[in-house]
Amino acid sequence: MVQVADSSSSVFVVDDDASVRDAVRTLLRSVGLRAEVFGSAEEFLRTELSDSPSCLVLDVRLPGVNGLDFQDQLSRAGIQLPIIFITAHGDIPMNLRALKAGAVEFLAKPFQKEELLTAVYQALERDKARRSEAAELSALQSRIDKLNSREREVNFDIAVLNKMATRLSAADPLHEVLHEVVEFVVSIVKCDSCLIYLLEGDELVLRSSKNSHPEVVGRLSMRVGQGITGWVAQHREPVVIAQKAYEDPRFRLLNELPEDRFEAFLSVPLVCGGHLVGVINLQNRVPYQYTKREVSLIATIGFLVGAEVERARLESENVRLADRLETRKLVERAKGVLQRELGIGEEDAYRTLQRESQQRRKTMKEVAEAIILSDELKNSS
């Protein structure tokens, strides 16, 4: 594994075994990472956390509060620090509880150096992404707070954007957030139709809408560069057309929307961290002159929505990776049980798991869990 360590990143190690603390600290410093060690959770709480990407290597069994309860304590306190658990006394319930609560990894002692370093780099990348997203939202909120005008409508816009930022921070499921954004936009800007497309692969897929054809949500898609919407996605620039939008050379008639003959058209890209996330469209059946204020308002909401979509996708990816990691560990344990009990090799053990999965129509994870449970019951009796 080749990694370039960020010297500003910090790794905090909490373990009551001095030899483990020293060994982990030496390993981390050998690859250029800053490492601070502590003998208990209480001792760690007395330190000042840095503003740079950080993570926590945490033993499960500690004097005072144990590692799993300390994870819950940090979460309740709003301390979003990625955690890598290490333990010599772990079991499946512990593993599942830690990962479901957001842990990056759950390593059994003694672990390989490469395993720990891989987990640490993954945790630091996760924290770096979280901080970047928070900084973007903070900067946007700061822009909103600094808006100053004597006109009443600008004061209204500030209140609107604050409300939207607060609502998005609630971290509801993405489809609910998109639906609420559509309803919100329709309530503040006069339009007959509002649609939100999200970039999925190289296509823009309709994921939420306010129009006469809600059944096309999830089915309607277009390529980047196709139509006005695709042009906005490709160039990441808004398009504002007050009348005869259907005569624009970039316009594309969508057969899925029979009434898709709109006079006015406002299309704004959804962007986060310089990356395209999607496009939001407003349409009017009669000519309509979108004001500069309305365009600016929708563009700012677009930045907020773009950040929320990226947050939801990152969260979904973390959950998926955690599930894959958990499955891999269970399969490895189940293979070991089969090798020991049946006297077969590793490859044959894996094929046995595959065969059982296919015949019983169960996932590899479910089959592995059943084998491990059976082995634990046998040993306990």
Side-chain angles (χ1 to χ4, degrees), residues 28 211 230 351:
L28 294 173
N211 63 8
R351 281 201 294 265

Side-chain angles (χ1 to χ4, degrees), residues 246-261:
Y246 49 84
E247 292 184 359
D248 188 284
R250 297 166 296 188
F251 184 81
R252 171 178 177 255
L253 181 65
L254 299 175
N255 295 328
E256 296 87 343
L257 299 176
E259 86 290 1
D260 199 24
R261 184 180 175 88

Side-chain angles (χ1 to χ4, degrees), residues 114-129:
E114 289 296 308
E115 286 184 306
L116 179 60
L117 288 177
T118 297
V120 165
Y121 284 122
Q122 182 183 345
L124 291 175
E125 281 300 312
R126 179 186 296 186
D127 196 49
K128 182 179 179 181

Side-chain angles (χ1 to χ4, degrees), residues 174 178 181 195-208 220 222-226 228-239 265-282 298-299 301-311 313:
L174 182 59
L178 295 179
V181 170
L195 307 96
I196 296 181
Y197 293 84
L198 295 185
L199 181 64
E200 300 178 10
D202 59 354
E203 286 193 325
L204 294 163
V205 181
L206 181 64
R207 287 303 177 191
S208 191
L220 182 61
M222 65 185 71
R223 295 187 304 277
V224 173
Q226 188 175 31
I228 296 177
T229 303
W231 187 94
V232 170
Q234 184 178 37
H235 296 274
R236 302 179 192 177
E237 297 177 10
V239 166
F265 197 101
L266 169 60
S267 186
V268 174
L270 305 180
V271 178
C272 178
H275 302 290
L276 178 74
V277 174
V279 176
I280 182 168
N281 290 343
L282 278 67
I298 298 303
I301 290 176
F303 279 109
L304 287 168
V305 177
E308 173 61 19
V309 171
E310 285 298 283
R311 181 205 64 77
R313 285 178 173 171

Side-chain angles (χ1 to χ4, degrees), residues 349-362:
Y350 185 76
R351 281 201 294 265
T352 300
L353 282 169
Q354 284 184 315
R355 185 170 59 252
E356 288 296 309
S357 173
Q358 295 167 356
Q359 291 177 350
R360 299 179 184 275
R361 295 184 178 180
K362 300 286 186 181

Side-chain angles (χ1 to χ4, degrees), residues 127 142 201 369 381:
D127 196 49
S142 178
E369 286 177 331
S381 62

